[in-house]
Amino acid sequence: MSDVPQASAAEPNALVRSWERASKVDPRYLIAFLITLVLVVAQLRYHMLGSYDRLVISLGVCLATEALLSWFDRGKVVNLLSAYISGISLTLLLKPQGGALWPFVLGGFLAISSKYVLRYHENHLWNPTNFAVAALLLIAPEHVSVLSHQFGNDITTNLVIWVFGLIIAARVGVLHITLTYVASFLLLNSARALMLGQPVLPEIAPITGPMYQLFIFFMITDPRTVVKGRRRQIVVAILIALMETLIRFASDEGWPLPTAFNVAPAFLALATVGPVAKFLDLRRLARPATVRAAATSTP
């Protein structure tokens, strides 16, 4: 009879069982759940979509482009979860002037096609959504802006998204990237505010907004575009935060930067640092294979 209590005590509690079940789920589905959660919260509490036409067009273009290009490139239609995430992200992030819909069409096409065109050693270099948003801001800054602070400072909303975001980031194995960037953002922007003689809180407050939530949970942590190795990933996250701070400082000093850099410094920082880091990492990983192939072919 003494064996029964011991067996019961050895059984994991409900929280542990839930975590173990979640560990068996494809990470892409967890990410898709999180981006859907952001969309639902944004619409129910703040009606941020404006109209459902944007969602239908953005999702439709992303899914159709992914299906067509993957069939053309690989002879089959790949899993469309990546396109789904890009479609919802663009719906939330893009804020066209006058309610125009063409940015969602062009943005969806640019996001997905970048995966098939801008690649090196069969790997794409840019996060699809990041590339599309940065490109639209650069080519049409007078017609396109991005989501900024529409979530306000609502504690409940931010708490729900951050809790799920951190849990899913931990499950996917990219939590260290998120935390490194957040810590770097807080330190660097606090230092910048002190250097400029400005209040610190307004400079670090944007990290709680929806744009940054999408940025830190979906863009800089994209498993397909981050470098390999935990230490390198941490270094790149710090470099992205440094680049963003430099862009902000240049804007403070009135440097003649394109409008896109002033509007979305974080997105442009990732769009410039991330692909270079990924390219160098892919070259580094390819070098041993090249050396082995040369050694094998040597008589």
Side-chain angles (χ1 to χ4, degrees):
M1 294 182 63
S2 61
D3 292 339
V4 175
Q6 293 177 1
S8 300
E11 293 180 358
N13 58 37
L15 183 60
V16 173
R17 291 197 302 271
S18 298
W19 182 264
E20 290 175 346
R21 284 196 295 269
S23 67
K24 299 176 183 178
V25 178
D26 188 326
R28 292 175 297 181
Y29 290 98
L30 296 176
I31 296 172
F33 164 77
L34 180 56
I35 190 67
T36 304
L37 175 66
V38 174
L39 176 74
V40 171
V41 170
Q43 181 62 11
L44 290 180
R45 291 186 65 87
Y46 304 102
H47 303 285
M48 284 169 49
L49 296 187
S51 72
Y52 288 100
D53 293 347
R54 300 177 177 185
L55 177 61
V56 172
I57 291 173
S58 184
L59 270 178
V61 171
C62 286
L63 294 173
T65 304
E66 183 84 82
L68 290 172
L69 290 181
S70 63
W71 178 80
F72 178 79
D73 183 60
R74 307 177 189 181
K76 64 177 182 179
V77 176
V78 299
N79 191 309
L80 298 178
L81 275 176
S82 175
Y84 172 82
I85 293 169
S86 293
I88 292 184
S89 297
L90 290 172
T91 303
L92 288 169
L93 287 170
L94 294 179
K95 299 301 173 185
Q97 299 298 322
L101 296 177
W102 66 262
F104 298 98
V105 177
L106 181 58
F109 176 77
L110 288 174
I112 304 304
S113 61
S114 69
K115 296 166 51 177
Y116 294 89
V117 177
L118 302 174
R119 56 185 181 180
Y120 178 70
H121 285 305
E122 300 304 316
N123 289 267
H124 56 276
L125 302 176
W126 275 266
N127 169 268
T129 305
N130 177 249
F131 177 82
V133 172
L136 287 172
L137 289 175
L138 285 170
I139 64 179
E142 68 279 9
H143 298 293
V144 180
S145 59
V146 293
L147 177 69
S148 55
H149 303 85
Q150 282 88 335
F151 275 13
N153 294 316
D154 184 78
I155 296 177
T156 303
T157 302
N158 280 288
L159 185 62
V160 169
I161 294 173
W162 275 84
V163 167
F164 277 100
L166 292 173
I167 291 174
I168 291 174
R171 163 63 188 91
V172 179
V174 294
L175 180 61
H176 57 285
I177 300 177
T178 293
L179 295 181
T180 297
Y181 174 81
V182 171
S184 300
F185 177 93
L186 296 176
L187 289 173
L188 291 169
N189 281 280
S190 296
R192 171 176 149 268
L194 293 174
M195 288 175 57
L196 297 172
Q198 298 176 352
V200 172
L201 188 58
E203 298 300 324
I204 63 175
I207 197 70
T208 64
M211 184 183 79
Y212 272 94
Q213 290 167 358
L214 294 171
F215 182 74
I216 65 176
F217 290 128
F218 301 111
M219 288 190 186
I220 63 171
T221 57
D222 179 6
R224 294 298 303 273
T225 55
V226 299
V227 300
K228 300 295 183 182
R230 188 184 186 92
R231 184 176 301 177
R232 291 185 179 86
Q233 291 169 351
I234 290 174
V235 170
V236 172
I238 294 173
L239 290 176
I240 292 170
L242 278 170
M243 176 62 79
E244 179 188 0
T245 304
L246 288 174
I247 294 172
R248 289 181 181 276
F249 183 80
S251 180
D252 294 333
E253 294 297 308
W255 294 8
L257 296 174
T259 304
F261 286 85
N262 300 320
V263 171
F267 288 8
L268 272 296
L270 175 59
T272 52
V273 174
V276 175
K278 183 65 175 180
F279 174 79
L280 294 176
D281 192 54
L282 290 171
R283 286 193 63 183
R284 177 185 64 85
L285 295 172
R287 195 172 299 122
T290 304
V291 172
R292 288 195 299 270
T296 303
S297 61
T298 301

